[in-house]
Amino acid sequence: MNRDPLIALRPWEAPEVTSWGRLPMCAVDRRSGALSLDGEWRFQLLPSPDSPVTDAWGTQTVPGAWTLQDTDDLPQYTNVRMPFDAFPPAVPAADPTGVYERTVDVPDAWAGRRIVLQVGAAESVLLVHVDGRPVGVSKDSHLAAEFDLSGVVRPGERATVRLTVVKWSDASHIEDQDQWWHGGSTRSVLLYATDPLHLADVTVRARPDGGLRVDCQVRTADGALPAGWYVTGKLDGRLLAQDAEFDRLNAEDDRVSDFLGEARLTATVPDVRPWTAETPELYDLTVRLHRADGSVADTSRHRVGFREVEIRGRDLLLNGERIYIRGVNRHDFHPLTGRTVTYEETRADLVTLKRFGFNAIRTSHYPNDPALYDLADELGLYVVDEADIESHDHAHEIADDPRYLNAFVDRVARMVLRDKNHPSVVIWSLGNESDYGANHDAAAGWLRRHDPTRPLQYEGAAKRGWADPAVASDIACPMYAPIEDCVAHALSGEQTKPLIQCEYGHAMGNSNGTLADHWAAIESTPGLQGGFIWEFWDHGILQRVSDGRPAGRAGAGLYDNGVAAPGHRWAYGGDFGDLPNDGAFCADGVVFPDRTPKPAMYEHREIAAPLRLECFRHEGVVIRNHQHFRGLDWLRAEWELSLADGPTLTAPAELPSLAPGESTAVRLPFRLPRKGGEAWLTLRVRTADDEPWAPRGTEVCVPQVRLRGPSAESPVPVPGRSVEIDEVGLLVHPLLAAAPTLTLWRAPTDNDELGGTAGRWQAWGLDRLVRTVVEVRRGDGPVTVVSAYACEAGAVRHEQVFTAVEGGIRVQETAELPPELLDVARVGSVFETVPGPDLLEWYGRGPWESYPDRAAGAPVGHHSAPVDELFTPYLRPQESGGRHGVRHFTLWAPDATGLSVRLDEPRQISVTRHRAEDLTAAGHHDELVARPGCVVHIDAAHRGLGTASCGPDTSASYLIPPGVHHWSWTLRTH
Ligand code: GAL
Ligand code: MG
């Protein structure tokens, strides 16, 4: 039997024990001036927490997860299910336990001071010993734990700190978020000292009318407070004084003890610059605690934003304005270090979000690294701060289990106590996917009393009734609700709360179809205010292929543009031999694991554009300021006039001065040339000056309007010349390695797979159509080839008419789909070129990938890109690289020869180095072998992407009906 009292207590199977010896959480930041204990620690991994510690020490870097630092305990990915079978609060006997140890030289200068150890994060139970003596216990893996070491260590002497981190515990059952499981001490560890007389907490309330209230809690190490202490404050140079009335009331109140000091600073700041996500104005506040003689005992610094959140009716208001929430769910994530993220990395995340038009983050599903909140304050992002509670697998049992009551309240309270002073935090969340029970109501009760200044939300409660006033959610915050359901609720007359989806637009693989339709509904329906895309990150861990191990910090730089370097890959569930696992479901973000934005990000950027072009009237175009709080003066722009059969003209644009929401018509800087065909007017909008999140000249959006529609092309047949067709009815052409044939299939996307459509395609046999020639009709002029494509669901009749036209060949195609084929991936032609072409030029949507239901962010124009860069390297290979609304394209070889295709109307195309079956066969990007030629798809129709891997499929209008499809195109060589 282990005699250590902390071990003997077995806190890892005691949900009632949330901590022992831990100091209360507060909002006083002690990071500056502290002694950092980050770096190398002695380390050993025990098979269970009660196994004896041995002499076999290795090392580990703190902060960090041991699962990513060369131990045999590797990462495991599960979504809903727990990685082990035990029923809460039990855990398996095999319970990896990391013992971290190091010595610390406690500074001499700390004599007489109060000394505190702060452990930033430990997953999932932390036991602390100093010099062999038990000091404390903590749970709540994503919030810091502090322990008072004043009576334990001696200034001027060396102390040995041991952190024992137990991986599986009762707490794991309420930390069952959809992400990798790790073990370790994953945020910074530090030691600091204060005067025994110290600021135990500071609560700042700052309103946009300039009202400022700062409440200070003052404590001394032990015993009653010394007489005569007082506090002062300074806000951007303005002195604040202690509120005498507050003091008088306290003095008269005999319930206020001499042990608990409270003081209030108040002020009204004139002409305050309010904080909003668009205008993140911050003021510096310094709070000082003085001894009776005026000397300073303690100081606390804060950045204050004057702002107010309120719900009025069914609107969420910021500073009285109804705002849209253009949010994303974000995990603390890094492909090398797991949940350990640096300030710079977090900043890069937030900068990326700002550049792509996001204005909000839900810290799914736990309080994030403290840096996130500082940066959100500074860069301007609204935050839904979420407590670390997700009991997904055993949600129903735990929600009402009184043994977990304390943990629920504790986790919510500690988050609020830490983050309450951040202007960016506008909403609290009780957690995620934990059903709804008394434990939630208890936490909500604590929260509403403690912080009446912010609404709270909880999806599990909201689900019980979006309009129900009794449930613990001030916001109707569903996940993945179909657009129609949201609109219907808003129109029902029954809506009582703002509707802001806590998750929508599941970004797994090639996804985020219908994002623009969501926003069209949101912006046209009072009561709908936005939502949070699921999610920011693709959680691929960089893995060495040779030994299957995580690359860890040694992998720095071994990736680029979303792709892992040769010999490496982005691992997802199962790749570490982890069982059970949920495969690639963790790769569902709008950025790749190296933060390279996926094409869906550009769709979002355009939807969120601060400036809109609305329509074309009388030689003019209407510009609207689509922001809530800012003018257009931070932007500069340039007009582009792009002609389908002509050049792109540019001209400087003079942006009008418009208040938020205002619009005005401006005259066009061009006369529309009579020639050149279809014409689009684009406004390329950039930052006029450096913004904290973007250097001057960063592109912000590219709104456009069509000035003139396409004119039909009718190629002129060349009499007497015929097209060469072989005996099985296939086109023979010197630049084609494979002749154009019919295809109805695409390499299933994650949405196709998980939403079930891919299974239907497979059952129908769309991936293995068998072609037979029915008839080849040759004459003087066109050659007609009729084929039948057989599959399990019936035969598809396909006709191609080949005509020699000026400069090339015209191909007119017809496909007749039987009624059984009611939802195919595409109807189109596929052919392959000989090796050579490596550059694509096109007129259509671009430059990035676009699909029928994700095309709003890709402006129509002349674009070009190397063929190898057209493809998007989604972690699990799938249909990718499509370009929507293409009118014509040319494939160039380096020797300036090439082939071009002109389409009868704007069509979906793709040019890649991979056949659909190549993509389907590969599990990871590194398994793909590029073909020497180009695989070219021209689609008469292409199914929308939707988001069915988790949530609604695409809308009916983006499905392909059975029946007759016609398309035609002209192939020319250069
Ligand atoms: C939600 C959940 C997220 C994630 C997502 C699917 O239900 O809250 O954590 O699992 O689905 O990727
Ligand atoms: Mg879950």
Side-chain angles (χ1 to χ4, degrees):
M1 157 103 192
N2 197 312
R3 295 198 165 275
D4 183 282
L6 297 189
I7 304 277
L9 182 66
R10 300 181 60 80
W12 53 88
E13 280 186 329
E16 304 86 342
V17 179
T18 54
S19 70
W20 175 78
R22 185 177 70 188
L23 293 169
M25 182 60 91
C26 70
V28 178
D29 182 355
R30 302 291 183 180
R31 281 173 287 176
S32 73
L35 192 66
S36 168
L37 303 190
D38 288 352
E40 297 296 287
W41 287 55
R42 287 188 295 282
F43 178 82
Q44 57 181 282
L45 190 63
L46 306 178
S48 72
D50 32 24
S51 311
V53 175
T54 69
D55 291 333
W57 293 99
T59 62
Q60 286 272 313
T61 303
V62 172
W66 69 64
T67 32
L68 295 169
Q69 292 187 64
D70 266 327
T71 68
D72 288 331
D73 185 31
L74 293 173
Q76 177 172 4
Y77 167 60
T78 66
N79 171 12
V80 176
R81 61 190 138 174
M82 288 296 288
F84 50 78
D85 278 337
F87 194 79
V91 295
D95 189 356
T97 299
V99 182
Y100 296 82
E101 211 175 80
R102 63 163 283 169
T103 54
V104 185
D105 291 315
V106 183
D108 230 354
W110 288 4
R113 291 173 72 78
R114 170 178 164 266
I115 299 171
V116 177
L117 172 73
Q118 184 187 89
V119 181
E123 305 188 13
S124 68
V125 182
L126 169 71
L127 316 182
V128 181
H129 294 82
V130 174
D131 294 333
R133 289 165 60 185
V135 164
V137 173
S138 178
K139 295 177 188 170
D140 198 0
S141 292
H142 301 99
L143 281 176
E146 293 196 330
F147 305 93
D148 189 338
L149 301 189
S150 309
V152 184
V153 296
R154 286 209 189 77
E157 290 184 14
R158 173 166 290 188
T160 300
V161 178
R162 173 182 288 186
L163 309 178
T164 304
V165 180
V166 185
K167 185 173 177 185
W168 304 129
S169 71
D170 55 85
S172 309
H173 292 285
I174 54 170
E175 295 179 1
D176 181 22
Q177 292 97 354
D178 176 5
Q179 61 175 339
W180 291 97
W181 293 94
H182 289 294
S185 179
T186 51
R187 289 186 193 153
S188 290
V189 179
L190 48 94
L191 197 65
Y192 66 83
T194 71
D195 196 89
L197 179 68
H198 64 278
L199 288 162
D201 202 4
V202 173
T203 303
V204 182
R205 289 194 181 149
R207 297 156 38 92
D209 64 5
L212 176 67
R213 199 180 94 184
V214 183
D215 284 315
C216 308
Q217 278 184 19
V218 177
R219 301 282 183 273
T220 191
D222 39 34
L225 290 160
W229 64 266
Y230 62 95
V231 293
T232 57
K234 217 181 218 183
L235 184 87
D236 271 9
R238 156 192 297 268
L239 273 178
L240 311 176
Q242 204 165 311
D243 184 330
E245 178 66 4
F246 182 83
D247 292 344
R248 194 180 58 77
L249 291 174
N250 262 353
E252 284 169 6
D253 188 342
D254 52 14
R255 292 167 306 170
V256 176
S257 90
D258 297 343
F259 293 84
L260 304 179
E262 285 180 18
R264 173 171 292 176
L265 301 165
T266 48
T268 303
V269 180
D271 302 325
V272 87
R273 300 182 308 276
W275 186 96
T276 73
E278 291 170 20
T279 58
E281 298 281 356
L282 294 173
Y283 291 71
D284 287 318
L285 170 70
T286 308
V287 177
R288 291 210 164 82
L289 168 61
H290 303 260
R291 303 180 190 91
D293 64 1
S295 60
V296 175
D298 199 4
T299 304
S300 177
R301 295 201 161 74
H302 305 264
R303 287 193 305 174
V304 178
F306 289 80
R307 64 107 185 89
E308 187 168 44
V309 193
E310 105 200 71
I311 290 179
R312 204 180 297 152
R314 53 182 188 170
D315 293 329
L316 175 75
L317 307 182
L318 187 96
N319 301 346
E321 280 291 316
R322 178 177 186 269
I323 51 169
Y324 288 125
I325 297 292
R326 306 181 183 280
V328 76
N329 282 275
R330 180 187 166 281
H331 274 282
D332 279 344
F333 172 78
H334 191 275
L336 306 180
T337 53
R339 281 187 272 283
T340 300
V341 289
T342 64
Y343 177 87
E344 290 72 28
E345 286 154 2
T346 306
R347 188 170 204 286
D349 289 4
L350 271 49
V351 160
T352 305
L353 288 175
K354 290 286 287 186
R355 288 192 193 170
F356 286 89
F358 289 89
N359 72 358
I361 293 175
R362 172 173 176 240
T363 67
S364 56
H365 298 299
Y366 42 82
N368 283 189
D369 189 280
L372 178 116
Y373 305 82
D374 295 340
L375 286 161
D377 292 346
E378 181 184 313
L379 297 171
L381 284 151
Y382 305 116
V383 173
V384 172
D385 202 6
E386 187 151 283
D388 191 0
I389 303 173
E390 174 164 347
S391 57
H392 208 159
D393 202 3
H394 298 287
H396 187 61
E397 297 88 331
I398 289 178
D400 282 302
D401 185 336
R403 292 172 300 176
Y404 276 96
L405 167 63
N406 191 15
F408 275 53
V409 179
D410 188 58
R411 284 163 185 253
V412 170
R414 278 165 38 83
M415 167 182 76
V416 173
L417 290 168
R418 186 190 72 165
D419 295 335
K420 58 183 177 257
N421 293 339
H422 289 282
S424 56
V425 175
V426 294
I427 296 168
W428 302 115
S429 162
L430 301 181
N432 188 55
E433 297 187 319
S434 304
D435 201 342
Y436 179 38
N439 293 343
H440 291 103
D441 281 335
W446 187 94
L447 206 163
R448 290 195 200 284
R449 163 60 59 134
H450 190 84
D451 180 17
T453 71
R454 293 175 177 93
L456 70 85
Q457 72 174 52
Y458 174 53
E459 184 267 341
K463 181 151 72 190
R464 298 292 174 92
W466 289 359
D468 186 345
V471 299
S473 191
D474 301 327
I475 294 175
C477 51
M479 44 173 76
Y480 311 108
I483 308 174
E484 314 78 70
D485 293 11
C486 298
V487 172
H489 180 64
L491 300 180
S492 67
E494 274 156 30
Q495 186 181 9
T496 58
K497 307 176 184 183
L499 199 161
I500 302 169
Q501 294 218 52
C502 73
E503 294 176 27
Y504 82 108
H506 197 249
M508 184 178 188
N510 190 356
S511 185
N512 296 101
T514 71
L515 201 59
D517 307 76
H518 264 276
W519 276 93
I522 291 165
E523 294 188 359
S524 59
T525 315
L528 305 187
Q529 271 188 274
F532 296 81
I533 287 181
W534 185 267
E535 66 174 307
F536 183 61
W537 283 110
D538 260 2
H539 298 234
I541 294 179
L542 191 73
Q543 182 183 35
R544 281 193 299 269
V545 177
S546 56
D547 60 2
R549 289 191 157 263
R553 288 186 166 91
L558 291 176
Y559 42 76
D560 187 27
N561 260 321
V563 180
H568 293 78
R569 65 177 184 179
W570 300 126
Y572 50 72
D575 288 340
F576 296 110
D578 42 322
L579 279 172
N581 70 71
D582 286 295
F585 205 59
C586 58
D588 54 358
V590 287
V591 299
F592 286 97
D594 65 350
R595 207 183 292 107
T596 298
K598 290 185 180 174
M601 285 288 261
Y602 293 92
E603 184 81 352
H604 187 272
R605 191 182 79 171
E606 209 53 48
I607 291 168
L611 173 167
R612 297 270 173 90
L613 287 191
E614 295 205 323
C615 59
F616 175 57
R617 290 191 204 127
H618 317 299
E619 287 296 301
V621 144
V622 175
I623 294 186
R624 176 179 296 276
N625 177 353
H626 202 63
Q627 301 164 101
H628 297 297
F629 302 102
R630 243 183 151 180
L632 298 180
D633 45 334
W634 63 287
L635 301 168
R636 69 183 164 82
E638 193 180 43
W639 293 109
E640 275 177 21
L641 177 66
S642 168
L643 299 161
D645 294 303
T648 300
L649 313 173
T650 60
E654 190 72 32
L655 289 181
S657 155
L658 292 173
E662 275 182 6
S663 63
T664 189
V666 297
R667 287 190 69 77
L668 285 191
F670 309 99
R671 283 190 89 85
L672 189 56
R674 275 198 298 150
K675 290 209 168 103
E678 187 178 351
W680 286 77
L681 179 72
T682 309
L683 193 58
R684 205 164 280 280
V685 183
R686 300 191 166 88
T687 50
D689 291 302
D690 288 349
E691 291 286 320
W693 46 271
R696 168 197 168 91
T698 303
E699 193 168 274
V700 172
C701 55
V702 276
Q704 65 171 192
V705 283
R706 195 175 76 173
L707 301 186
R708 186 165 62 206
S711 44
E713 194 215 20
S714 30
V716 185
V718 182
R721 212 175 77 208
S722 73
V723 178
E724 190 182 349
I725 302 294
D726 70 11
E727 65 287 358
V728 290
L730 295 175
L731 175 69
V732 178
H733 190 283
L735 292 185
L736 299 192
T741 51
L742 175 74
T743 172
L744 306 176
W745 187 64
R746 67 184 178 200
T749 63
D750 291 310
N751 290 328
D752 297 337
E753 285 288 355
L754 297 170
T757 12
R760 277 202 304 279
W761 297 338
Q762 166 85 25
W764 290 336
L766 296 192
D767 53 335
R768 44 184 197 280
L769 297 180
V770 181
R771 172 178 179 273
T772 43
V773 202
V774 176
E775 187 188 0
V776 181
R777 278 199 304 269
R778 297 174 201 266
D780 282 347
V783 184
T784 301
V785 180
V786 180
S787 315
Y789 285 80
C791 68
E792 271 75 348
V796 179
R797 184 179 180 279
H798 178 227
E799 185 184 283
Q800 288 173 317
V801 180
F802 298 96
T803 313
V805 295
E806 243 166 59
I809 300 164
R810 180 164 197 221
V811 191
Q812 290 161 285
E813 310 201 49
T814 307
E816 292 168 33
L817 274 58
E820 292 75 24
L821 291 181
L822 43 79
D823 178 11
V824 298
R826 57 167 31 124
V827 176
S829 345
V830 59
F831 62 84
E832 288 177 29
T833 70
V834 296
D838 61 0
L839 181 81
L840 183 75
E841 283 182 354
W842 75 99
Y843 183 79
R845 296 202 172 267
W848 29 80
E849 181 192 87
S850 54
Y851 282 84
D853 61 351
R854 203 191 67 217
V860 176
H862 292 281
H863 303 285
S864 79
V867 170
D868 293 339
E869 290 171 19
L870 291 165
F871 183 74
T872 310
Y874 297 112
L875 263 59
R876 203 189 57 77
Q878 50 196 279
E879 161 64 31
S880 135
R883 297 295 187 280
H884 189 62
V886 174
R887 283 73 168 166
H888 55 77
F889 63 89
T890 307
L891 259 167
W892 293 108
D895 63 0
T897 61
L899 57 90
S900 70
V901 171
R902 181 168 275 272
L903 298 146
D904 55 342
E905 48 180 271
R907 302 276 184 195
Q908 180 84 15
I909 69 150
S910 72
V911 179
T912 68
R913 301 275 184 204
H914 310 290
R915 295 184 185 157
E917 62 262 31
D918 303 343
L919 296 169
T920 309
H924 292 82
H925 190 252
D926 65 317
E927 295 159 30
L928 290 173
V929 182
R931 290 185 180 269
C934 299
V935 179
V936 181
H937 279 276
I938 295 170
D939 292 331
H942 195 103
R943 188 189 198 276
L945 298 167
T947 60
S949 53
C950 181
D953 196 352
T954 193
S955 310
S957 58
Y958 303 109
L959 298 180
I960 302 174
V964 181
H965 294 261
H966 295 288
W967 69 108
S968 67
W969 44 289
T970 308
L971 178 72
R972 294 189 173 89
T973 49
H974 299 274

